[in-house]
Amino acid sequence: RQRAMLRRGIRRVLPGRDRWHALQEYALGETNQEEFRLLRARDSAVSSVVAAHGAAPKTIDWAAWEGKISNKETLQCLKDFHAQQTALLDAVLKEDHVGAVKEQKAGWELFDDAVSSCEKSVEKSQTILRNGARALWISFQNPPVSLLSQSEWLDADQYWQAFVEKHHFYH
């Protein structure tokens, strides 16, 4: 009963399955459309199995597992982990999540700071993109290294002269 409540709560929060099914419109090409069709078929098969077994899950028969697992330390670790996870899920189910969300008044400053940080990152990314496009254009407009004359260098361009000489002779 509690696990069913948890599943229903998760379904309300997470986006619906039908929303990702609408992404099939963007599958281009025959192979992509076929893969998406197979994915939807597998999803419907899993959904039907889950719906068919809507009953409460069976409890673990630890006595049966004690006979099957020879390493008792491993079995004890499994039992302890299961008990810990069950206690954690039970504690989560007991909490009033709707009330906690409604009581949340503070913390929006952090959200606003994150939004402004993201906006600054987008601006910086756009600057990097513009500079990269300029660099590509300049690089494309430059003549190939084999056509450069080594006698036309200024003394200040010794670094680039060495670069051109190296690439001209070794590549």
Side-chain angles (χ1 to χ4, degrees):
R1 180 178 108 101
Q2 292 178 343
R3 287 186 171 84
M5 288 174 39
L6 181 62
R7 280 195 300 269
R8 280 195 305 271
I10 288 173
R11 284 188 192 126
R12 279 188 221 131
V13 174
L14 295 177
R17 184 175 271 122
D18 55 339
R19 290 186 189 160
W20 75 264
H21 282 235
L23 293 174
Q24 187 169 2
E25 301 171 14
Y26 301 104
L28 301 175
E30 231 175 271
T31 56
N32 289 338
Q33 289 175 349
E34 179 64 18
E35 286 295 325
F36 207 91
R37 188 187 65 73
L38 293 172
L39 178 66
R40 286 189 65 172
R42 287 189 296 263
D43 179 59
S44 64
V46 169
S47 297
S48 65
V49 168
V50 170
H53 294 83
K58 292 187 255 179
T59 58
I60 297 176
D61 183 13
W62 290 111
W65 284 107
E66 285 177 6
K68 294 178 184 177
I69 298 176
S70 60
N71 189 336
K72 300 306 176 195
E73 289 180 19
T74 302
L75 178 67
Q76 189 59 42
C77 287
L78 288 172
K79 286 171 76 173
D80 292 343
F81 179 76
H82 180 265
Q84 177 196 19
Q85 294 299 307
T86 305
L88 180 68
L89 287 174
D90 290 342
V92 167
L93 289 173
K94 288 179 185 175
E95 293 177 6
D96 181 22
H97 299 286
V98 175
V101 170
K102 287 181 180 177
E103 292 174 4
Q104 180 66 33
K105 304 284 188 233
W108 288 105
E109 302 85 22
L110 180 63
F111 176 76
D112 293 335
D113 291 344
V115 169
S116 64
S117 173
C118 289
E119 288 170 349
K120 289 177 187 175
S121 295
V122 167
E123 291 173 9
K124 188 69 173 171
S125 296
Q126 290 171 343
T127 303
I128 291 170
L129 182 65
R130 279 193 305 271
N131 289 341
R134 288 181 189 139
L136 285 173
W137 186 85
I138 290 170
S139 178
F140 179 75
Q141 300 301 323
N142 284 338
V145 175
S146 60
L147 295 180
L148 294 177
S149 169
Q150 297 180 10
S151 62
E152 297 179 8
W153 293 98
L154 300 173
D155 289 337
D157 290 338
Q158 289 177 356
Y159 173 81
W160 295 114
Q161 181 181 12
F163 175 83
V164 169
E165 287 174 357
K166 174 184 174 194
H167 288 278
H168 178 68
F169 290 115
Y170 296 116
H171 291 288

